[in-house]
Amino acid sequence: MISYYFSGKPELFREVGQTILTEAGTAIEASIAAEMTYRGKLGAYIASQLTIVIRQPLYAPALAEIVAMAQTRQIAGLDDIARSALSIECLVNLLEQGCSAGEFHTCDSRLMALAIRGAIDSVVRHHHLHDGDVDLERCTRQLVDLFDRCVTSV
């Protein structure tokens, strides 16, 4: 049945990756847009990333596998999916806008975005490595609080 809809593995993995990115992106954007302050938007960004893992537990490992296949060139044609999955541009822009609005102290927005993205990814990896034996809701609250303190304290 799969071969009827897809010409091969690259097309199948591309579709899976694009579906995950689109669905997750829509949820993340909606969470961010619902907030009025940049502090709220940053918290929504972090929380929505981990909420996706809670609600769609197969998304993160599937996307990680697709990114790994793209990086190791196991399957050609997945580079744009990997770039999108690993992108921090939305977060960099959010941090820069928060700095411009005076809500965040001036910092290297790209470095802070990498730290935030790395912390989220680390929690997700740890969660999957330990068969879900990580309280993602508690981790979400703590990461939101941690990075709120990082960007708002001088």
Side-chain angles (χ1 to χ4, degrees):
M1 186 66 123
I2 290 174
S3 62
Y4 178 79
Y5 292 102
F6 302 102
S7 61
K9 283 184 181 180
E11 189 181 348
L12 172 63
F13 287 122
R14 170 182 278 304
E15 184 63 28
V16 169
Q18 193 59 54
T19 298
I20 292 170
L21 290 172
T22 299
E23 201 172 304
T26 299
I28 293 164
E29 288 171 13
S31 293
I32 292 170
E35 295 294 329
M36 301 306 295
T37 66
Y38 288 102
R39 288 178 73 186
K41 289 177 185 299
L42 178 60
Y45 175 90
I46 294 167
S48 62
Q49 297 281 331
L50 293 168
T51 297
I52 291 166
V53 174
I54 294 167
R55 292 189 180 151
Q56 299 291 345
L58 299 178
Y59 278 14
L63 196 55
E65 188 66 28
I66 291 167
V67 168
M69 285 187 284
Q71 290 175 329
T72 61
R73 305 280 186 230
Q74 287 177 313
I75 296 182
L78 299 176
D79 291 342
D80 59 330
I81 299 293
R83 268 193 300 282
S84 292
L86 299 173
S87 176
I88 58 167
E89 294 312 309
C90 170
L91 187 51
V92 170
N93 291 337
L94 190 155
L95 291 166
E96 288 175 350
Q97 291 168 354
C99 286
S100 295
E103 287 188 45
F104 301 156
H105 67 80
T106 305
C107 65
D108 183 334
S109 295
R110 186 160 300 282
L111 179 60
M112 184 61 72
L114 285 169
I116 293 168
R117 183 77 248 163
I120 292 167
D121 291 347
S122 183
V123 166
V124 170
R125 261 190 316 278
H126 191 73
H127 173 73
H128 288 292
L129 286 173
H130 295 280
D131 295 323
D133 194 27
V134 172
D135 183 348
L136 288 178
E137 291 176 4
R138 182 182 58 80
C139 289
T140 298
R141 288 189 305 273
Q142 289 183 347
L143 284 180
V144 168
D145 182 56
L146 171 71
F147 285 107
D148 181 64
R149 290 172 190 235
C150 286
V151 298
T152 58
S153 62
V154 180

